[in-house]
Amino acid sequence: MNYSDFLISIIIPMKNESAGVEILFSRLEPILDSLAKTGGKWEIICVNDGSNDNTLEILRAKSLVNPRVKVLSLSRNFGKEAALTAGLEYAKGDVVVPLDADLQDPPELIPEMVSQWKNGFKVVLATRKTRNESWMKRKSAGAFYNIMGRFSTVRIPKNTGDFRLIDRQVVEAVKLLPERTRFMKGLFAWAGFKTTTIYFDRPARFAGTTNWNYWKLWKFALDGIFSFSTFPLKIWTYIGVIISLISFLYGSFLIIRTLLYGSDVPGYASLMTVILFLGGIQLISLGIIGEYIGRIYRETKHRPLYVIEEKIGF
Ligand code: UDP
Ligand code: MG
């Protein structure tokens, strides 16, 4: 690899980010220009993910002034993961950095990432030392990473969003993955490659409002768990075995007791308990099986992940 002549692609998914775009560019462009002094050419790929404010118009103007700014505009809101996938598809860079538009991923880290890449790392993660977020969000994120760490076959780095530098080789590996459920940080982690981490304090959102609420985050966490672990399916085997064992012991006890002392009619309470308990367990396990079947169904339809309405600057 020729480290003194490379192209860096910044991918920015954007949904309703008009309030922050100017500031974002005023901080990002000088940094990329300073990289250019050491041989790096750059491009910025903004993916307009169905914004209903004037994000697209601002981006169009940006692209006119500077042809290194390119815009993919999706036909509707497909979600951040799909937007990122679209950006990866069109990025030409030898290295690629996905970036949030709200400056929660400080672009000032990019030169440090590039120098780690020049040290031979194919993936440079930017991990949050602190989270400038509510107690609830920190706790739920912590629980999520714990569960993922325990059950997933792929090591998903803690407290790390999509903000990272990835080498072209990694991009090509991720592009090979055909799945519809794009849990990007899982897919990036799946690819592997020589990885290092730099740490930063994550600031609060600069402008605009978050596009995530707890329900969306919950669904996103489920995407992560269900697409990177089959443990929720397997656990029922163990629970089933344990319950059968207990039932067998209890059944034997009942039979022996009946043989010794004759039958007694009462038993309504224990019957109800067992029926309700087992009914609940069966519904949960059916639900989990349904979750996987739903995902299989979605995958088999082979729908495209996104539809591009307009390409600007390509
Ligand atoms: N985003 C997107 N499509 C969506 C939701 C979000 O492209 O449906 C973008 C958003 O514009 C931002 C990034 O994804 O650049 C992260 O979103 P946000 O800041 O709302 O997430 P948070 O930081 O609160 O997790
Ligand atoms: Mg944000």
Side-chain angles (χ1 to χ4, degrees), residues 166-191:
I166 50 180
D167 184 87
R168 171 59 37 191
Q169 266 188 302
V170 186
V171 176
E172 291 305 323
V174 169
K175 274 162 68 176
L176 286 179
L177 300 178
E179 56 223 84
R180 309 289 101 182
T181 308
R182 310 297 293 185
F183 185 68
M184 292 310 284
K185 30 186 166 176
L187 302 185
F188 288 139
W190 174 90

Side-chain angles (χ1 to χ4, degrees), residues 10-303:
I10 311 292
I11 303 177
I12 315 178
M14 292 188 185
K15 183 187 171 212
N16 298 344
E17 297 287 2
S18 57
V21 174
E22 290 297 339
I23 313 287
L24 170 68
F25 276 86
S26 69
R27 259 173 72 182
L28 183 56
E29 281 179 330
I31 292 165
L32 296 176
D33 284 335
S34 73
L35 267 182
K37 291 196 192 98
T38 64
K41 289 192 281 295
W42 57 268
E43 62 174 3
I44 298 177
I45 300 181
C46 298
V47 187
N48 173 39
D49 185 16
S51 300
N52 37 34
D53 61 359
N54 60 343
T55 302
L56 181 60
E57 278 55 55
I58 300 177
L59 293 177
R60 203 192 297 279
K62 284 272 166 225
S63 176
L64 272 181
V65 176
N66 189 344
R68 283 177 292 190
V69 177
K70 300 165 186 179
V71 185
L72 292 172
S73 187
L74 306 186
S75 59
R76 63 168 169 85
N77 177 252
F78 281 89
K80 182 185 175 187
E81 311 292 301
L84 206 52
T85 307
L88 277 184
E89 197 64 48
Y90 282 83
K92 295 223 172 54
D94 301 297
V95 290
V96 172
V97 178
L99 193 76
D100 278 5
D102 58 6
L103 288 168
Q104 283 193 290
D105 301 337
E108 287 74 19
L109 293 181
I110 295 173
E112 164 76 7
M113 289 173 157
V114 170
S115 65
Q116 289 293 349
W117 172 70
K118 289 182 176 174
N119 287 340
F121 291 101
K122 295 277 159 80
V123 178
V124 185
L125 303 174
T127 295
R128 301 159 196 179
K129 259 191 303 195
T130 52
R131 286 177 157 253
N132 234 321
E133 288 157 339
S134 68
W135 179 87
M136 183 67 184
K137 190 154 178 188
R138 286 201 311 269
K139 284 290 164 208
S140 51
F144 168 73
Y145 284 114
N146 271 337
I147 294 173
M148 284 305 281
R150 202 153 299 170
F151 299 137
S152 166
T153 42
V154 172
R155 283 275 146 264
I156 292 176
K158 279 191 180 186
N159 295 325
T160 308
D162 295 313
F163 188 34
R164 58 188 68 201
L165 175 144
I166 50 180
D167 184 87
R168 171 59 37 191
Q169 266 188 302
V170 186
V171 176
E172 291 305 323
V174 169
K175 274 162 68 176
L176 286 179
L177 300 178
E179 56 223 84
R180 309 289 101 182
T181 308
R182 310 297 293 185
F183 185 68
M184 292 310 284
K185 30 186 166 176
L187 302 185
F188 288 139
W190 174 90
F193 289 97
K194 199 170 165 206
T195 301
T196 185
T197 307
I198 57 180
Y199 293 90
F200 73 106
D201 293 308
R202 191 163 211 242
R205 196 174 226 290
F206 173 78
T209 49
T210 176
N211 288 292
W212 300 81
N213 52 35
Y214 280 108
W215 179 242
K216 273 196 185 171
L217 279 174
W218 164 250
K219 286 198 296 186
F220 185 59
L222 287 189
D223 272 351
I225 292 167
F226 286 120
S227 38
F228 281 89
S229 167
T230 50
F231 185 79
L233 273 180
K234 284 186 263 180
I235 190 174
W236 299 106
T237 320
Y238 300 104
I239 292 182
V241 167
I242 292 169
I243 290 183
S244 313
L245 218 77
I246 296 173
S247 326
F248 178 76
L249 292 178
Y250 185 59
S252 317
F253 162 74
L254 286 183
I255 291 172
I256 293 170
R257 198 182 61 174
T258 313
L259 286 178
L260 291 182
Y261 304 106
S263 74
D264 55 352
V265 187
Y268 177 73
S270 56
L271 266 180
M272 275 314 267
T273 319
V274 171
I275 290 173
L276 289 178
F277 177 64
L278 282 184
I281 288 217
Q282 281 165 353
L283 281 182
I284 296 173
S285 61
L286 268 181
I288 289 190
I289 295 170
E291 191 69 49
Y292 281 96
I293 294 180
R295 277 153 206 278
I296 296 169
Y297 176 59
R298 192 157 15 139
E299 296 289 328
T300 53
K301 283 191 288 194
H302 292 298
R303 285 191 184 153

